[in-house]
C-alpha cells in the first residue's frame, strides 16, 4: 500500500467515523439522561432527510433555510415521540420503555413507507458540499471537512448546555434520580422534553449530513446509522458524550482499515462492528470513557 | 327446542348457500397471483413490473372465456416474506398461476412452495440459473446470468478494449455473485486480467474503502453487477475519488432511480439488459408501448416489459392447455415456441429458461440509450 492510498483510506476513515460520531452524540445523550436506549434515533435521521428534501422541492426553500428547519422539525417529532411512546411509561420497568422504543422505530419506518413509498429518492446535495479537492494526490470531498467540524461544534455546544446551564444541571440531576429531582421542584417533563428536543435535533443534523454524503434517501435508511451509532456509543461508554465521539471515530477507522487491509473481507464489515459490540459488552461494558455502573431504578 | 332447530336450519341454509355460491364464483374467474417487492430496497422493480402486468391484463383480460383476476402480495423485498406470499397465494387464494418474484434470491425462497403445490410460476426478472434448475413448475421470462455475464465480458474486452478489470460484488445477492463469477470466467478466457475482487452488501452506503483499493490497481473497467441503489452511490463515490474507468453492470441497473440518485456520476455506465423500446420488434410490443405511454406518459422499461411478458406467457399457456390444471399448464409453458412477447420473441428452452436476445444500453444525457443487440 502506497502512502497516497494509505492517506486516502485515512481520510475515508475520518469521513465515516465523524459521521458515526455525529449520530452517536444524540444517541448517547438521551441515554445518559433518561437511561433509555432510543431505538427510534436512527429513524429520526430519516425523518430529517425527508423533511429537508421536501423543504427544497415542495416549499422551494434554499438549502440553508430548509436544512435548519428540517432539524427543528425533527426535534419537534422527537418531543412528540416522547409524549406518545415514552411518557406514559415513565414509571414502568425499563424493559417496557425499550420495547416501546423498538415499536416506535417500526412505526416511523412503516409510516414513512406508507406515506412516501419504498422507492429511494435522491438527496439534493448543494454544490458547495459536493466539491472535491486534491491534496498531494489524496482526493478529499469538502463534506469530509465539514462533518468533523460540525461534530465538534455540536459536541462543545452540547457540553456547554449540559455542564454550564441551569437546564443542563437539571438534566444531570434527572439522570441521577427522577424522584428526588421532582421533589426539588424541577419540572421533570420539561427537562425531558428539552432532552428529546436536543437529541432529536442532533439526529436531524446527522440525517442531513448522512444524506449529503450518501445522497440516497429511503424509509429504512436510518436502520444502519442507528445501529452503528449505538455500537459507537457503547464502545465510547454509553451515556458519555465525549465517549460517543471517540467511539464513532474508532468504529469508522476500524471498518475502513478492515476493508483497506483485507479487501477480501469487505463483506464482514457489519459483522466486524457487531463483534466489537459483543467484545465491549463482555470485557468492558462501560466502554472507553464509561463511568462505573450505578444502580438506578 | 324450537329455537335450537331454527338455529340449526338457519345454519344449514347458510352452509348450503355458501356451498352453492363458492364454486360458482370460482368458475367465474381465473385467479393469477403475483408476489412482488412493492416496498423495501428493491421496490422499484416490483412497482414497475406491476405496472406492466396491469397493462398486460388490460390487453388480455380473459382466458378460456373467463375473466382473469389478479391478486398481488407485497414481499417487502424480503426472502421470508416472499415465501409467505407464495403460501398465501397457493393455499388461501387458490391461484392457478404465479408471477414473481422480481429478484433471484426471493424467487428461490418462493419457488419451492409453488413447486410442491404444482402451481406453475413465471418470474419476470429472476436471472440466476439456480432459480429454475431442477424445478418442474418454475419458469421465467428473462434470459439467465451466464449469458449476461459472458456478453458483459465480451463487450468489455472487445468494445471497451479493456485488458484489466476490477470486480465489485454484492455478496448478499445470489444474482450479483452469479453475474460476477460468469464475467470473471469469460473475461479471463478472452485473455483479460482481473486485478481485484471486492465485496459489498445490500444496504451498504459507504464504498470508499473498496474503491480506494480498486483505484490503486488502476483497472480499464469496473464490473459492478449490483442493484440500482448501490450502483448509483458507488458511481458517485468512484467519481469523487477520481476513478475514471467505465463502469459496466447488469440488468438490475436499468431503473430510473439509478439516474435520479446517480446524476452525472452514472453517465456512460454500460449495462446488459433485456429490452429497450427502440429495439422493440413484435406487434404486441408496439401495442404495449403505445398503451403504456398513453397511461403513464413515459417510456417502457425492461422491468415493465418483462412483467407483462410473465403475464402473457402464463395466459398463453393456460389457453394452449385448455385448462387451468397445474400439470397441463406447466407442459404448455415448457413447450412455448416463437411467442411474440413485449420484450421480444421467446422460445422456452431447457429448465424453463427462455432463449432470447439481449440488448446493451448505456446512460447518456440522463437517459437510457440503446447501444446494440446481442443474439444468443
Amino acid at each position: 500500500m502506497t502512502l497516497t492510498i494509505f492517506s486516502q483510506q485515512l481520510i475515508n476513515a475520518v469521513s465515516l467515523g465523524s459521521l458515526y460520531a455525529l449520530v452517536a452524540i444524540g444517541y448517547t445523550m438521551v441515554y445518559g439522561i433518561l437511561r433509555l436506549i432510543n431505538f427510534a434515533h436512527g429513524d429520526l435521521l430519516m425523518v430529517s432527510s425527508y423533511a429537508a428534501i421536501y423543504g427544497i422541492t415542495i416549499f422551494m426553500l434554499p438549502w440553508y433555510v430548509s436544512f435548519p428547519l428540517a432539524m427543528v422539525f425533527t426535534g419537534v417529532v422527537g418531543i412528540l415521540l416522547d409524549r406518545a411512546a415514552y411518557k406514559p411509561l415513565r414509571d414502568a420497568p425499563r424493559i417496557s420503555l425499550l420495547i416501546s422504543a423498538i415499536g416506535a422505530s417500526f412505526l416511523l419506518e412503516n409510516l414513512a413507507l406508507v406515506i412516501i413509498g419504498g422507492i429511494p429518492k435522491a438527496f439534493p446535495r448543494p454544490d458547495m458540499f459536493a466539491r472535491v479537492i486534491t491534496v498531494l494526490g489524496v482526493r478529499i470531498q469538502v463534506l469530509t471537512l465539514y462533518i468533523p467540524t460540525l461534530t465538534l461544534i455540536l459536541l462543545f455546544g452540547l457540553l456547554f448546555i449540559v455542564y454550564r446551564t441551569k437546564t443542563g444541571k437539571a438534566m444531570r440531576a434527572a439522570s441521577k434520580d427522577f424522584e428526588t429531582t421532582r421533589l426539588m421542584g424541577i419540572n421533570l417533563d420539561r427537562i425531558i422534553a428539552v432532552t428529546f428536543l436536543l437529541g432529536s435535533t442532533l439526529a436531524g443534523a446527522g440525517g442531513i449530513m448522512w444524506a449529503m454524503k450518501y445522497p440516497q434517501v429511503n424509509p429504512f435508511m436510518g436502520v444502519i446509522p442507528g445501529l452503528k451509532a449505538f455500537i459507537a456509543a457503547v464502545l465510547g461508554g454509553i451515556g458519555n458524550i465525549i465517549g460517543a465521539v471517540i467511539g464513532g471515530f474508532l468504529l469508522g477507522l476500524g471498518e475502513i482499515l478492515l476493508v483497506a487491509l483485507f479487501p477480501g473481507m469487505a463483506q464482514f464489515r457489519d459483522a466486524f462492528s457487531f463483534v466489537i459490540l459483543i467484545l465491549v459488552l463482555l470485557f468492558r461494558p462501560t466502554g472507553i470513557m464509561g463511568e462505573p455502573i450505578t444502580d438506578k431504578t | 327446542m324450537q329455537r335450537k332447530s331454527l338455529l340449526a336450519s338457519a345454519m344449514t341454509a347458510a352452509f348450503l348457500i355458501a356451498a352453492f355460491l363458492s364454486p360458482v364464483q370460482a368458475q367465474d374467474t381465473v385467479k393469477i397471483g403475483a408476489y412482488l417487492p412493492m416496498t423495501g430496497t428493491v421496490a422499484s422493480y416490483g412497482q414497475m413490473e406491476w405496472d406492466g402486468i396491469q397493462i398486460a391484463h388490460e390487453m388480455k383480460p380473459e382466458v378460456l372465456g373467463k375473466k382473469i383476476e389478479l391478486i398481488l402480495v407485497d414481499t417487502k423485498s424480503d426472502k421470508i416474506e416472499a415465501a409467505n406470499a407464495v403460501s398465501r397465494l397457493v393455499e388461501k387464494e387458490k391461484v392457478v398461476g404465479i408471477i414473481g418474484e422480481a429478484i433471484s434470491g426471493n424467487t428461490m425462497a418462493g419457488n419451492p412452495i409453488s413447486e410442491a403445490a404444482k402451481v406453475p410460476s413465471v418470474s419476470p426478472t429472476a436471472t440466476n440459473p439456480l432459480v429454475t434448475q431442477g424445478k418442474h413448475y418454475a419458469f421465467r421470462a428473462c434470459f439467465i446470468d451466464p449469458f449476461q455475464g459472458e456478453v458483459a465480458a465480451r463487450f468489455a474486452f472487445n468494445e471497451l478494449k479493456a485488458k484489466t478489470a476490477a470486480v465489485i460484488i454484492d455478496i448478499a445477492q445470489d444474482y450479483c455473485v452469479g453475474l460476477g463469477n460468469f464475467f470473471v470466467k469469460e473475461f479471463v478466457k478472452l485473455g483479460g486480467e482481473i486485478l481485484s475482487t471486492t465485496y459489498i452488501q445490500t444496504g451498504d452506503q459507504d464504498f470508499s474503502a473498496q474503491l480506494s483499493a480498486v483505484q490503486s490497481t488502476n483497472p480499464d473497467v469496473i464490473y459492478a453487477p449490483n442493484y440500482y441503489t448501490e450502483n448509483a452511490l458507488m458511481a458517485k463515490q468512484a467519481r469523487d475519488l477520481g476513478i475514471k474507468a467505465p463502469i459496466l453492470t447488469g440488468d438490475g441497473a436499468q431503473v430510473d432511480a439509478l439516474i435520479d440518485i446517480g446524476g452525472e456520476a452514472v453517465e456512460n455506465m454500460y449495462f446488459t439488459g433485456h429490452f429497450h423500446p427502440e429495439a422493440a420488434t413484435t406487434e404486441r410490443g408496439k401495442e404495449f408501448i403505445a398503451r403504456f405511454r398513453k397511461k403513464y406518459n413515459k417510456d417502457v422499461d425492461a422491468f415493465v416489459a418483462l412483467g407483462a411478458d410473465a403475464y402473457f406467457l402464463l395466459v398463453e399457456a393456460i389457453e394452449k392447455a385448455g385448462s387451468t390444471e397445474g400439470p397441463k399448464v406447466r407442459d404448455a409453458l415448457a413447450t412455448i415456441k416463437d411467442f411474440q412477447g413485449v420484450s421480444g420473441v421467446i422460445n422456452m428452452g431447457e429448465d424453463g429458461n427462455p432463449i432470447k436476445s439481449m440488448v446493451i444500453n448505456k446512460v447518456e444525457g440522463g437517459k437510457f440509450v440503446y447501444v446494440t443487440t446481442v443474439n444468443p
Side-chain angles (χ1 to χ4, degrees):
Chain A
M1 194 184 293
T2 65
L3 191 64
T4 318
I5 296 292
F6 183 75
S7 319
Q8 182 72 62
Q9 295 288 24
L10 219 53
I11 294 288
N12 295 342
V14 169
S15 165
L16 183 66
S18 59
L19 205 49
Y20 286 163
L22 180 55
V23 184
I25 301 176
Y27 217 118
T28 214
M29 191 198 77
V30 170
Y31 178 85
I33 288 157
L34 300 179
R35 294 286 183 269
L36 159 71
I37 294 178
N38 183 12
F39 270 109
H41 193 78
D43 302 299
L44 291 172
L45 258 74
M46 176 267 298
V47 169
S48 133
S49 317
Y50 274 113
I53 291 183
Y54 288 130
I56 289 173
T57 55
I58 296 180
F59 298 104
M60 297 296 179
L61 301 170
W63 66 266
Y64 47 83
V65 179
S66 176
F67 289 0
L69 274 184
M71 283 166 59
V72 173
F73 175 78
T74 313
V76 174
V77 171
I79 294 179
L80 294 178
L81 189 70
D82 170 53
R83 284 288 139 90
Y86 306 137
K87 197 180 169 206
L89 297 169
R90 209 72 93 203
D91 299 316
R94 193 99 22 90
I95 191 79
S96 312
L97 271 174
L98 191 68
I99 294 168
S100 186
I102 294 171
S105 162
F106 287 161
L107 179 78
L108 282 176
E109 285 162 16
N110 287 289
L111 207 61
L113 198 59
V114 171
I115 297 171
I116 302 158
I119 295 184
K121 268 193 170 52
F123 192 84
R125 184 159 70 172
D127 285 336
M128 66 170 284
F129 295 105
R131 271 192 307 126
V132 175
I133 50 175
T134 312
V135 181
L136 301 171
V138 178
R139 315 255 311 177
I140 305 171
Q141 207 185 11
V142 289
L143 204 58
T144 307
L145 306 174
Y146 288 125
I147 295 173
T149 315
L150 180 71
T151 305
L152 289 179
I153 292 173
L154 289 176
L155 170 69
F156 287 119
L158 199 60
L159 287 176
F160 178 80
I161 293 174
V162 172
Y163 289 101
R164 291 280 181 274
T165 65
K166 232 174 167 180
T167 311
K169 204 172 191 177
M171 283 175 171
R172 281 180 289 138
S175 80
K176 294 277 185 276
D177 192 334
F178 274 3
E179 275 316 304
T180 315
T181 315
R182 224 178 248 160
L183 287 175
M184 294 295 144
I186 290 167
N187 184 344
L188 198 63
D189 282 328
R190 198 185 69 89
I191 295 300
I192 292 174
V194 172
T195 306
F196 267 95
L197 179 72
L198 286 176
S200 308
T201 310
L202 286 171
I208 287 167
M209 289 299 144
W210 195 285
M212 280 214 273
K213 187 149 167 51
Y214 311 114
Q216 172 268 131
V217 180
N218 70 66
F220 298 98
M221 67 172 277
V223 177
I224 290 293
L227 279 174
K228 293 289 167 71
F230 173 65
I231 297 173
V234 171
L235 176 62
I238 191 153
N240 185 300
I241 297 169
I242 295 173
V245 173
I246 296 173
F249 272 102
L250 284 180
L251 189 65
L253 188 71
E255 282 193 11
I256 294 286
L257 280 184
L258 176 83
V259 181
L261 298 177
F262 312 100
M265 304 262 285
Q267 71 269 36
F268 297 114
R269 191 157 147 180
D270 288 348
F272 166 82
S273 305
F274 289 112
V275 168
I276 288 197
L277 175 67
I278 293 166
L279 290 180
V280 171
L281 289 177
L282 276 178
F283 296 108
R284 199 181 155 84
T286 52
I288 295 168
M289 298 281 288
E291 302 150 29
I293 299 172
T294 51
D295 272 332
K296 175 174 180 283
T297 41
Chain B
M1 200 61 193
Q2 222 181 4
R3 254 176 77 178
K4 239 183 189 168
S5 66
L6 192 71
L7 191 73
S9 54
M11 271 172 74
T12 322
F15 272 123
L16 276 176
I17 292 169
F20 187 69
L21 273 180
S22 51
V24 173
Q25 254 178 354
Q27 273 165 11
D28 265 340
T29 60
V30 171
K31 282 187 177 182
I32 291 183
Y35 69 120
L36 294 168
M38 302 303 283
T39 58
T41 49
V42 289
S44 288
Y45 299 150
Q47 296 188 0
M48 284 156 64
E49 283 169 18
W50 183 237
D51 285 349
I53 293 166
Q54 282 175 305
I55 300 262
H57 183 246
E58 268 178 43
M59 283 167 69
K60 194 157 177 42
E62 286 183 7
V63 66
L64 305 177
K66 292 173 200 162
K67 275 206 158 50
I68 297 171
E69 190 188 340
L70 281 172
I71 297 152
L72 171 70
V73 183
D74 178 15
T75 62
K76 301 173 188 161
S77 307
D78 182 83
K79 288 183 178 129
I80 297 164
E81 295 279 350
N84 288 340
V86 177
S87 298
R88 192 173 133 195
L89 288 172
V90 169
E91 281 160 24
K92 192 160 161 263
E93 305 287 354
K94 311 264 181 233
V95 297
V96 302
I98 292 176
I99 301 170
E101 224 257 9
I103 68 172
S104 298
N106 295 355
T107 315
M108 278 147 117
N111 269 350
I113 297 160
S114 47
E115 182 83 10
K118 295 190 174 18
V119 176
S121 70
V122 181
S123 166
T125 48
T127 50
N128 191 296
L130 295 172
V131 166
T132 56
Q133 217 167 66
K135 297 258 182 335
H136 203 59
Y137 288 86
F139 297 85
R140 59 179 126 212
C142 51
F143 50 66
I144 56 174
D145 290 339
F147 181 42
Q148 196 174 174
E150 278 166 36
V151 169
R154 271 183 261 151
F155 181 77
F157 195 82
N158 298 329
E159 308 295 323
L160 299 177
K161 308 283 176 218
K163 296 289 167 276
T164 55
V167 183
I168 302 177
I169 301 174
D170 181 343
I171 194 89
Q173 297 297 342
D174 305 318
Y175 159 84
C176 308
V177 175
L179 268 183
N181 290 342
F182 297 117
F183 175 88
V184 169
K185 234 175 167 176
E186 184 72 13
F187 195 71
V188 170
K189 213 169 94 189
L190 289 168
E193 192 191 346
I194 304 293
L195 296 180
S196 67
T197 306
T198 43
Y199 302 99
I200 60 163
Q201 273 202 47
T202 311
D204 275 2
Q205 296 176 320
D206 186 280
F207 310 110
S208 55
Q210 285 96 329
L211 287 168
S212 295
V214 164
Q215 189 179 23
S216 64
T217 62
N218 198 18
D220 294 338
V221 65
I222 295 174
Y223 188 57
N226 307 317
Y227 292 135
Y228 55 95
T229 315
E230 284 79 21
N231 264 338
L233 288 179
M234 183 188 296
K236 262 202 138 95
Q237 290 168 32
R239 300 306 176 224
D240 281 351
L241 280 171
I243 297 175
K244 295 200 175 63
I247 299 176
L248 183 62
T249 174
D251 63 298
Q254 198 182 353
V255 177
D256 286 339
L258 176 90
I259 296 174
D260 287 347
I261 299 168
E264 282 192 9
V266 296
E267 280 288 307
N268 281 323
M269 185 183 266
Y270 290 91
F271 48 93
T272 45
H274 305 269
F275 171 81
H276 192 280
E278 266 179 49
T281 48
T282 63
E283 280 309 308
R284 195 191 299 249
K286 283 170 191 157
E287 189 197 336
F288 181 87
I289 291 170
R291 276 184 185 247
F292 187 86
R293 276 196 184 132
K294 205 172 147 204
K295 185 161 178 189
Y296 295 104
N297 200 21
K298 61 181 178 190
D299 259 333
V300 175
D301 272 298
F303 290 87
V304 174
L306 287 166
D309 274 350
Y311 174 86
F312 283 131
L313 280 171
L314 259 179
V315 175
E316 172 87 3
I318 293 171
E319 211 150 57
K320 223 173 113 188
S323 154
T324 55
E325 282 169 46
K328 288 185 182 163
V329 177
R330 183 261 153 210
D331 290 342
L333 259 174
T335 53
I336 274 183
K337 284 272 165 302
D338 285 330
F339 177 75
Q340 304 286 312
V342 174
S343 63
V345 180
I346 296 172
N347 285 297
M348 203 50 86
E350 227 179 296
D351 268 349
N353 299 324
I355 299 159
K356 54 196 288 195
S357 56
M358 178 186 299
V359 294
I360 289 179
N361 299 331
K362 73 170 188 171
V363 182
E364 197 180 286
K367 274 202 170 89
F368 294 113
V369 178
Y370 168 71
V371 179
T372 179
T373 303
V374 182
N375 289 312

